[in-house]
Amino acid sequence: MMSKLKTICWPQVILFGDSITQFSFQVNGWGADIASKLARKCDVVNRGLSGYNSRWAKIVLPRLISSQNSAADCRNIAAVTVFFGANDSSLEDKNPQQHVPLEEYSQNRKEITKLLASAGVSADRVIFITPPPLHEPAWEKECILKGSPLNRHNSVVGQYAQACVQAAGLCGADVLDLWTLMQKDGQDYSVYLSDGLHLSEKGNQFVAQHLWGLLESRVADLPFILPYWGDVDVKSPESSLLCDQ
């Protein structure tokens, strides 16, 4: 009688964030790029929640990554990206529903790290991502189309980006500071944005490239899952395909 086969547990990279994360699996998206690089090594899981801020993220995170899960539940998490701030940094008087005060935003970042740690994801596997810069002329057009005035300022987004960088340092997490990198040397950062806030194709490429630089070391040791087809024993494929990995 054949013994029960051991299920292969694929490691995971979890992308946790707002719409910029949710949209990252679209054609040429940064999440899709990362997933393609990691095919046959781990699952890249999109947990982007359009419109969410860090306050709501902190509340729902335990429903997404539970401390009750174990390695046996296939929850071998190689890395988690935490990408919030574009909504938190909304101006309170123009967009009170999504706005989160700067001090609370910083504290929420720290609490998210603690929640991840309680679920077995240590801080060295966490990558904070700051919001990208905001191109006000383009975003103002979007706001007007929706019948509202400009509800974000790039200078304010920069304060939240700085708070994100500081929180990462205090928590022992890595950080990708998009707000600073996309404006480095006075470059025209509007090319990285599709509507002044969300990423363009070039912006997605920018995020994928820089994020991979931080992710690569965390996934470098992950094995290729199941043998390369050319290595399968043709006469006895079971001996190749049913062996423990």
Side-chain angles (χ1 to χ4, degrees):
M1 188 175 178
M2 200 172 176
S3 60
K4 188 177 180 181
L5 295 176
K6 184 180 177 183
T7 302
I8 298 171
C9 290
W10 294 58
Q12 293 183 326
V13 169
I14 298 176
L15 311 180
F16 184 44
D18 53 32
S19 59
I20 302 176
T21 296
Q22 182 177 318
F23 301 160
S24 74
F25 272 25
Q26 292 179 347
V27 177
N28 298 316
W30 61 269
D33 185 281
I34 296 296
S36 178
K37 282 184 169 70
L38 291 174
R40 293 286 289 276
K41 288 202 165 192
C42 73
D43 288 334
V44 177
V45 182
N46 188 329
R47 291 293 178 264
L49 303 163
S50 180
Y52 275 51
N53 56 31
S54 64
R55 180 185 295 160
W56 302 341
K58 179 184 67 176
I59 294 169
V60 301
L61 181 57
R63 302 186 67 189
L64 305 179
I65 304 175
S66 171
S67 59
Q68 303 304 311
N69 288 316
S70 66
D73 297 319
C74 303
R75 302 305 268 180
N76 179 15
I77 299 171
V80 177
T81 60
V82 182
F83 194 173
F84 291 95
N87 297 316
D88 299 67
S89 58
S90 297
L91 302 176
E92 185 176 12
D93 60 334
K94 302 290 195 301
N95 186 2
Q97 187 177 4
Q98 291 178 302
H99 169 79
V100 171
L102 186 61
E103 201 57 45
E104 183 191 338
Y105 170 75
S106 183
Q107 188 59 37
N108 288 342
R109 284 275 180 175
K110 296 169 190 173
E111 290 187 28
I112 285 171
T113 308
K114 289 177 184 176
L115 287 167
L116 288 169
S118 71
V121 183
S122 53
D124 62 319
R125 286 183 276 164
V126 177
I127 301 172
F128 284 177
I129 306 177
T130 76
L134 179 84
H135 188 245
E136 293 178 22
W139 185 244
E140 185 172 25
K141 289 179 183 176
E142 294 294 318
C143 292
I144 290 169
L145 285 173
K146 295 173 183 174
S148 64
L150 179 66
N151 57 18
R152 291 164 171 81
H153 290 316
N154 190 41
S155 59
V156 176
V157 177
Q159 294 172 16
Y160 283 73
Q162 186 178 17
C164 176
V165 171
Q166 291 172 344
L170 291 170
C171 296
D174 220 331
V175 64
L176 173 56
D177 185 358
L178 292 180
W179 191 86
T180 298
L181 285 171
M182 286 183 169
Q183 297 181 92
K184 194 175 179 183
D185 301 324
Q187 63 182 302
D188 177 15
Y189 64 87
S190 67
V191 299
Y192 298 125
L193 304 166
S194 62
D195 57 6
L197 186 149
H198 299 96
L199 300 174
S200 64
E201 185 172 333
K202 190 168 184 178
N204 274 282
Q205 291 170 355
F206 186 98
V207 174
Q209 177 190 343
H210 286 84
L211 179 57
W212 183 248
L214 299 177
L215 261 181
E216 194 170 12
S217 62
R218 292 169 170 84
V219 297
D221 295 332
L222 294 179
F224 192 73
I225 296 176
L226 290 172
Y228 173 66
W229 73 268
D231 295 332
V232 175
D233 184 336
V234 177
K235 293 181 180 178
S236 177
E238 291 84 0
S239 63
S240 301
L241 301 176
L242 300 182
C243 61
D244 285 338
Q245 280 195 275

